[in-house]
Amino acid sequence: RVRVRGVTIHRPIIYGNTAEVIPLEERQSSSNTAHTHRWTVAVRSAVSAPDSDIVGGADDISYFIKRVSFKLHDTYPNPNRNIDKPPYEVTETGWGEFEIQIRIVFISDCGEKPITFYHHLKLHPWTVDGSGEAENPPPEVALKAGPVHSWQYDEIVFNDPFQSFLNLLTAH
Ligand code: SLL
């Protein structure tokens, strides 16, 4: 099997999270009243469907991805979450922000090593008060402000890919 020297091919992705305040009534009737937010962390294609308010995800990225692992904070049960088919996402509830480790494993025999990066889970719509200090608004204000979004655009770069993998990527 031969590598195609000098060739670089990228695939655009987005990764990040949305978060919403859990309404008080729902919180009080849940088993975990300390959990203030519901959030979703995801890896998707960077292409959004027209007229959709979902960020990205319109293109298939599963043909070159075997697994996406999200490593949550140790306060979560089974913090290592392996997702083997799209959508590559985890939805949870909680009370705090933390770094999520994201690892993408590519399909078997493609010759590409897994990549690892981090996303800071964002729950709060930080606002700036009159004095220029950043503040984290109270839950009722945050609830009215609507969902928080924190997304990063990036490109997965494959250098000197195997000819077979290059063919697969360009065929899609
Ligand atoms: C903080 N450094 O102190 C962060 C840690 C951890 C958030 C945040 C756990 C939920 C559960 C949860 O929300 N952890 O107990 O299932 O802000």
Side-chain angles (χ1 to χ4, degrees):
R1 299 206 305 149
V2 287
R3 287 195 175 271
V4 190
R5 301 280 167 205
V7 167
T8 294
I9 182 163
H10 349 79
R11 284 295 170 265
I13 57 161
I14 52 147
Y15 62 91
N17 80 275
T18 60
E20 282 184 299
V21 174
I22 301 173
L24 202 55
E25 317 80 74
E26 186 185 334
R27 231 178 110 182
Q28 282 164 344
S29 62
S30 88
S31 58
N32 209 326
T33 55
H35 288 195
T36 51
H37 292 74
R38 177 171 290 108
W39 50 261
T40 299
V41 60
V43 175
R44 300 175 182 156
S45 91
V47 179
S48 295
D51 304 320
S52 166
D53 46 6
I54 297 168
V55 182
D59 277 3
D60 181 28
I61 52 172
S62 65
Y63 68 92
F64 66 94
I65 290 176
K66 180 173 170 184
R67 163 173 288 181
V68 179
S69 299
F70 298 90
K71 192 163 183 284
L72 309 183
H73 194 265
D74 289 338
T75 47
Y76 283 92
N78 313 313
N80 208 43
R81 309 290 174 88
N82 297 322
I83 312 297
D84 291 339
K85 55 181 184 2
Y88 299 109
E89 61 183 43
V90 171
T91 298
E92 265 294 356
T93 60
W95 49 263
E97 300 187 344
F98 58 93
E99 295 297 312
I100 299 179
Q101 183 190 288
I102 304 173
R103 181 177 155 92
I104 301 180
V105 181
F106 301 105
I107 52 169
S108 302
D109 299 327
C110 72
E112 303 295 334
K113 294 198 185 74
I115 55 172
T116 301
F117 48 95
Y118 291 84
H119 172 68
H120 182 86
L121 177 71
K122 183 174 153 76
L123 302 184
H124 305 297
W126 294 88
T127 52
V128 175
D129 71 13
S131 69
E133 290 285 307
E135 58 176 24
N136 171 3
E140 38 322 334
V141 176
L143 184 58
K144 283 211 196 75
V148 166
H149 288 274
S150 178
W151 297 100
Q152 300 290 321
Y153 175 87
D154 209 341
E155 289 176 351
I156 303 177
V157 179
F158 302 108
N159 289 310
D160 302 339
F162 280 134
Q163 182 70 64
S164 50
F165 190 51
L166 182 60
N167 292 347
L168 177 77
L169 290 173
T170 52
H172 272 82

